[in-house]
Structure formats: structure tokens, C-alpha cells
Amino acid sequence: MKLLTHNMLTSHVKGVTKGYPLLIKATEVKVNEVDFNPKFVCRMIPKLEWSALVQAADQLGHREDLPGELVPDYEKNEDFLKKVHRVLLEVEVIEGCLQCPESGREFPISRGIPNMLVNEDEA
Amino acid sequence: MMEEAASQLERDHVHSVYDKIAPYFNDSRYKAWPKVRQFLLDLPPGSIVADIGCGNGKYLHINKEVFKLGCDVCRPLVDFAWSQGHEVQMCDGLRLPYRDGCFDAVLSIAVIHHFSTKERRIRAIKEMARTLRVGGRIMIYVWAMEQKRRKFEKQDIFVPWNPNPHLSSSFNRDDTKPRRRAAAQSVSEAIDNAENYRKVRSTSSVADEEDATQAVPQQRTQRLWFFSRSLDSVFDFGSLAISWPSSRDLRHLPSATGENEGNKPNQRARGRGLIKQVSSFFSPPSVIGSEEDVFDSDTDLQKDRNDPGGPSNPTNNNGKENQGVSVSLAQECGSLALPDLISLQQENLRQSEDQSAGGPVGTGRQEGTQSPEEQVEASCLRYYHVFREGELAELIEHHVEELHVTHNYFDHANWCVVAEKVQLWKI
């Protein structure tokens, strides 16, 4: 699971109103090399919940110097874009779980795949 | 309660079937419908797209400028998609784990026809609409009731999965179409066989009618036999006087006291009762011919009255008329949205080539199974609700006000809708 994906994921346990963002507890993390496409990263940024991304990167110990707030004029800031690229697309959780911030319910991640299925009674 | 029964039906006749047949899917589902491909290619760079019910991820490699993610309930298929390098999750179409309005586009290709009630189909569409941003677009493909030359008798049907149709000949056609990038998994051995792979492509390709006619007559007949048999094997609820979920016929099943069964064992019993009813129509067997007994005389296709010798005597007993009908059916089949059946045929061509020629005929069931054949047949029935013309668009127009239908068309045996998410203003 990449952090770009994580940025979209939310808990949908019954009754939960604040199921986002999911907390990440990772037991295995990989960092891959992915081709850097600055335009792509640029276009992704407005679609992200920025603070959720920073928090997730932090939880994985991969935040490095990613700023807590979006820098102005980031479109031309290649340095910044590279950092975002790394965190969004290169860091990958292979094993661990995602935890609903409100209910505490854990969704396992195994072999890189989060299992977001809930039981009938939970949803 | 209906909801539990509906969900049980889907567990038994969608989820668990796909779990079983997943290995066979990997070599069959590589092909992307061209219009779906185009929809993806038309997305602006930097878009985020979700393929809801992505199966083995066959659409996830299209368009490198957009971020794609996929999800499905079937673990083996999702694992395969991940092995191809895609971002995928396990989830349920009725409860999508994505925040509101986070996608620029959503795909739902051959998925919602597996939901067993209208209400669930609507919920599935609404869930997808929820995850779409305003201005975002969704493309939905579902099986059509109206096929080119035949119409399914009813809309709620079971389609058997036959892993071993016992066709013994192979096709010798040239196929110059480019190979898709190779699969990483060893899940499907058929992928290793490049020739079968190309053949699978050609049989399921878009402009396929000419391909059917190029086949050697005898081979074509065997192929026809397989296809016509498969379509005829579509299990027609109506002909059994069981319609789902009408309560009228639940009297045939272990006591259904209507609404609140509550009790799980009761639900299962009801489900099993239905399956028993279903399976009793597949008479025991060890000959392929047995399935023909299921067919009504009022199906518009002639049955293949093959002798129990099966495909080794494919055409002898067929009247000319049979062949005529079968021929046209197969030509249609080439362009039908039945890639799974087609590829299974190829998979088993290879298998039967490998096996000794004298292999048992008509055992045609999942390999290694010990259970009575009725049970196996019943357990590999996939539930479909096939859509009438206009039904999908109507469903959206009347029940999903946040979506506005922009395109509505028929594509290779599917009804297709493209719709745009609109901002709703509540006064």
C-alpha cells in the first residue's frame, strides 16, 4: 500500500463519523524506486489531504523533512516535488494494519494489500 | 430477511465461485474492452481513477499519466493484480473504504450485475457516486439480457462454470496481435503457452466474426458445441418456477417463514434448498449429455444431442438445423462478453492435449473433486442479473440523483452507461 492510496482510504465501520485518516501500524515497509514525474506529482497535490499525508509519513518514520504545510509555489519547486514523490509513491507498506481513529478497529495489510472488508454486523 | 438472503446468495454464487475460478481468470481477463480503454486514456493526466471490482486488474495498467487503484472481494484475483504492480485493496462494493469525492473517475466493469437485488445494485452505484468528485465520471458495464441473436429468458440467472469442456482439438490460426505483458504469477499455466494465449485473444477479440468462420469445420463444430452448450446451460429461474427473491416459490424450500429469519442456519438452509433445486436439474452423470436434459424445448437454441461419447463424435447426431443455429451462436459468442468461458476452453484444450486421449469423457467437472457432481455444478454457478435495455440508465436516473447519465450504449453484449457526478442543491 502506497501512501497516495492511504490518503484516499477511510474507515467505514458502522456509526463512525471520523474514520479518516486511518492510523498506520506497519511491520514491514519497503522503499522502491519509481520514475519521477514532476507534472504528475504536481497534479496530485491538490487532491491530497496534506496533513493526513504528513501524519502517515511520520508514522512510518519516513517523513524526513516534509513540511507540515504546503509550500507556496510548489509547482516550480523540484526539490519539494521530489520529496512528495518519494513519500507518495516510493514508500510502501507491505505488512501491518490500518486503524480506525474512532473505533480502533484494525484493518490488516498483508502482502501489500489492505483488507478493508467489514463483517455484516460492523457496517 | 432479504438482505441476509441476498448477501448469502452473493457469497455462495459470486464470491466463492470467483475464489475457485480465479486461477483460470488470469489468462482470460487480460483483454480490455476498447471503449473502456478509451475512457481511461481520455482522462486528464494526474487523475485518480478507481476500478471497483477490478478482478485481476486488467484495466489498471492503462494510461501511465493517471493514478489507478483497484479493489475487489476476491482475494486470489486481487493478489494477482498486486503481483502486476498495481495498488489494490480488498473491499465490498456496498461499503467502499474511500473518502467522499476523492476520485476523478470510477470504473465498474461487469460487476454490479452480480448484486442480487435492485436495492443492492442501487446502493453499489450510490457508493461509487459518493467517492466521485463533482464533475467526475463513472463508466458502468453490465451484461445485457438482449444478446445479438438471443435474449436470456429471465433476468436473474445462474451461469455454470465448466472448467473442463473436453475439447480435444486446437485451433491453428495465425494471430498477429501483440502479446500483453506477461504475467508474473505461475497461477495460470496457460499463460506460459504463448500460442494458446494468442488464440484466446483472437477468440475474444472485438471483430471476431470472421475468426469463427476461419476455423476448420470440425473444430468449429466442437467449439460451437461448447458455446451453445454453455449458453444453453444458463440456468433459467423461470423455467424452474423459482424466481429469486420472490417468496412465492420459497415454499419449495425448507420452511421460509418470511421476514426475519435472523437465524443463520435457517438462512443457509434456505440457500441450500435453492441449490438443491438447482442441482437436481443437473442429472447425475458422467456423460456430458446429461446437462442437455436441463434445457427446455422453448429455448431458442437447439440442444446438441450428442451421444455420450461426447466431443469425439461432435457432429454426427446434429441435424443440419442444429448446426445452423449453433454456427450463428458461436459467431456471436466470439464477440460476446464471455471471456471466461472462452479462455476456459483454451485452458482445457491445452490440458486435454497433455492428458491421454482416452481420458474420461464428460466428467467435465472440477478436477480432483470428490463431491457428487450435482453439488459441484451447483457450487460453480455464478449469479447474474442481466439488464434490459434502458434499465441501467433508468436505475441511475430514478435512484441516483447525484449522477447524470451522459452516454448510454450497447457494447459487445453489455449495456454501458457513462455518468457524471453533479452537485446536488437541497433547498
Side-chain angles (χ1 to χ4, degrees):
Chain A
M1 182 201 69
K2 302 188 178 186
L3 292 188
L4 176 45
T5 301
H6 168 264
N7 204 262
M8 310 296 139
L9 290 174
T10 182
S11 163
H12 48 300
V13 172
K14 200 171 196 171
V16 162
T17 49
K18 263 223 92 243
Y20 181 89
L22 291 158
L23 308 168
I24 313 182
K25 298 181 186 177
T27 54
E28 188 186 331
V29 178
K30 252 174 64 179
V31 181
N32 312 299
E33 231 187 85
V34 175
D35 289 340
F36 175 55
N37 180 342
K39 244 172 69 182
F40 180 89
V41 177
C42 223
R43 287 173 204 243
M44 282 299 142
I45 289 172
K47 301 180 185 185
L48 303 171
E49 288 289 326
W50 185 258
S51 55
L53 177 69
V54 175
Q55 183 185 95
D58 214 15
Q59 284 169 358
L60 295 183
H62 278 274
R63 179 180 171 174
E64 299 188 357
D65 53 353
L66 199 67
E69 304 235 332
L70 267 180
V71 309
D73 281 334
Y74 59 77
E75 298 88 349
K76 310 200 181 81
N77 188 335
E78 182 155 303
D79 212 44
F80 173 76
L81 292 178
K82 279 209 173 118
K83 292 184 185 146
V84 179
H85 164 84
R86 205 185 136 271
V87 154
L88 278 183
L89 299 171
E90 293 189 332
V91 176
E92 196 178 358
V93 180
I94 306 296
E95 298 286 332
C97 72
L98 296 170
Q99 188 176 44
C100 172
E102 189 178 314
S103 69
R105 207 268 201 202
E106 290 186 348
F107 298 93
I109 302 176
S110 74
R111 298 196 292 277
I113 298 167
N115 184 343
M116 310 303 294
L117 289 167
V118 291
N119 304 322
E120 292 294 326
D121 50 335
E122 284 179 284
Chain B
M1 179 165 134
M2 190 59 70
E3 183 69 9
E4 270 228 46
S7 148
Q8 182 72 48
L9 174 69
E10 289 157 19
R11 265 200 292 282
D12 293 342
H13 292 290
V14 179
H15 306 170
S16 64
V17 177
Y18 278 104
D19 279 346
K20 282 187 203 130
I21 68 182
Y24 301 102
F25 253 50
N26 291 323
D27 59 313
S28 72
R29 296 294 192 161
Y30 59 85
K31 177 186 171 290
W33 294 115
K35 289 196 162 83
V36 181
R37 161 177 268 115
Q38 199 52 50
F39 176 85
L40 288 167
L41 292 173
D42 288 344
L43 293 171
S47 297
I48 304 184
V49 193
D51 185 350
I52 308 298
C54 66
N56 66 351
K58 74 173 177 183
Y59 291 107
L60 296 174
H61 70 282
I62 298 170
N63 194 344
K64 302 215 177 320
E65 301 296 315
V66 306
F67 179 69
K68 298 140 295 204
L69 56 80
C71 66
D72 205 291
V73 290
C74 177
R75 177 104 223 179
L77 289 177
V78 166
D79 279 341
F80 180 80
W82 190 78
S83 76
Q84 302 297 291
H86 304 308
E87 280 292 282
V88 280
Q89 302 85 50
M90 298 274 300
C91 75
D92 172 350
L94 297 179
R95 287 171 271 275
L96 295 177
Y98 309 111
R99 55 182 168 87
D100 295 0
C102 63
F103 298 135
D104 297 294
V106 169
L107 288 181
S108 171
I109 309 301
V111 180
I112 66 172
H113 53 207
H114 284 310
F115 285 108
S116 56
T117 69
K118 178 176 173 182
E119 191 248 339
R120 287 163 80 85
R121 294 188 282 272
I122 292 169
R123 274 164 59 195
I125 297 173
K126 285 182 92 78
E127 259 296 89
M128 292 188 283
R130 176 185 68 74
T131 64
L132 257 183
R133 63 156 172 88
V134 172
R137 302 194 316 150
I138 177 170
M139 172 175 266
I140 306 178
Y141 266 52
V142 291
W143 271 26
M145 187 181 186
E146 307 88 340
Q147 303 286 324
K148 266 201 198 144
R149 284 192 217 204
R150 143 174 211 162
K151 208 169 140 155
F152 286 112
E153 300 287 321
K154 296 285 174 183
Q155 289 190 262
D156 294 285
I157 61 176
F158 281 145
V159 178
W161 176 259
N162 186 344
N164 199 6
H166 277 290
L167 292 169
S168 57
S169 59
S170 52
F171 302 121
N172 293 310
R173 284 201 301 275
D174 277 344
D175 191 321
T176 53
K177 292 178 186 147
R179 233 182 123 163
R180 181 188 180 254
R181 61 191 180 136
Q185 300 281 64
S186 60
V187 167
S188 170
E189 295 169 78
I191 289 183
D192 295 342
N193 186 330
E195 191 160 25
N196 274 343
Y197 204 76
R198 284 198 302 277
K199 287 171 193 160
V200 177
R201 270 204 88 109
S202 73
T203 56
S204 62
S205 69
V206 175
D208 213 20
E209 304 221 359
E210 51 281 5
D211 286 343
T213 57
Q214 283 165 22
V216 170
Q218 192 199 11
Q219 293 165 350
R220 176 175 61 173
T221 311
Q222 290 178 344
R223 178 182 169 206
L224 296 184
W225 172 84
F226 170 68
F227 283 134
S228 62
R229 179 167 161 256
S230 302
L231 274 188
D232 284 338
S233 301
V234 162
F235 193 70
D236 183 340
F237 264 130
S239 69
L240 290 187
I242 291 180
S243 48
W244 188 271
S246 144
S247 56
R248 160 171 63 97
D249 298 299
L250 291 177
R251 62 189 156 84
H252 293 301
L253 308 174
S255 64
T257 48
E259 294 312 318
N260 253 316
E261 288 297 351
N263 216 325
K264 277 216 168 131
N266 237 327
Q267 293 299 330
R268 274 198 287 277
R270 182 193 292 175
R272 272 199 222 107
L274 174 66
I275 289 166
K276 275 216 200 89
Q277 289 273 9
V278 165
S279 64
S280 70
F281 282 78
F282 295 110
S283 32
S286 62
V287 289
I288 291 180
S290 65
E291 277 184 35
E292 270 78 344
D293 301 336
V294 176
F295 312 140
D296 299 353
S297 50
D298 62 354
T299 57
D300 57 358
L301 294 162
Q302 298 293 325
K303 293 161 252 189
D304 282 338
R305 292 289 184 199
N306 287 335
D307 59 35
S312 48
N313 306 304
T315 61
N316 301 345
N317 300 339
N318 289 340
K320 244 192 177 160
E321 204 188 317
N322 265 354
Q323 273 188 330
V325 173
S326 297
V327 168
S328 68
L329 179 63
Q331 286 174 342
E332 298 314 324
C333 282
S335 53
L336 276 180
L338 296 170
D340 43 36
L341 295 173
I342 296 168
S343 77
L344 240 328
Q345 173 201 11
Q346 298 300 329
E347 161 76 355
N348 288 291
L349 283 181
R350 188 194 58 78
Q351 272 180 15
S352 53
E353 279 158 15
D354 293 346
Q355 290 162 6
S356 65
V361 165
T363 45
R365 313 299 182 219
Q366 270 192 332
E367 62 282 352
T369 183
Q370 260 77 59
S371 31
E373 299 192 315
E374 301 97 88
Q375 277 183 17
V376 175
E377 282 294 333
S379 71
C380 282
L381 295 172
R382 266 181 306 169
Y383 169 80
Y384 285 87
H385 170 87
V386 292
F387 282 67
R388 279 178 289 103
E389 176 168 9
E391 182 184 341
L392 179 58
E394 259 171 56
L395 208 64
I396 295 173
E397 278 153 17
H398 297 158
H399 300 278
V400 188
E401 46 180 358
E402 58 271 39
L403 286 181
H404 167 68
V405 175
T406 58
H407 298 79
N408 184 357
Y409 58 92
F410 185 84
D411 183 12
H412 291 90
N414 297 290
W415 285 114
C416 323
V417 158
V418 178
E420 184 179 311
K421 171 88 177 266
V422 295
Q423 182 78 59
L424 290 179
W425 300 103
K426 304 263 183 207
I427 297 163

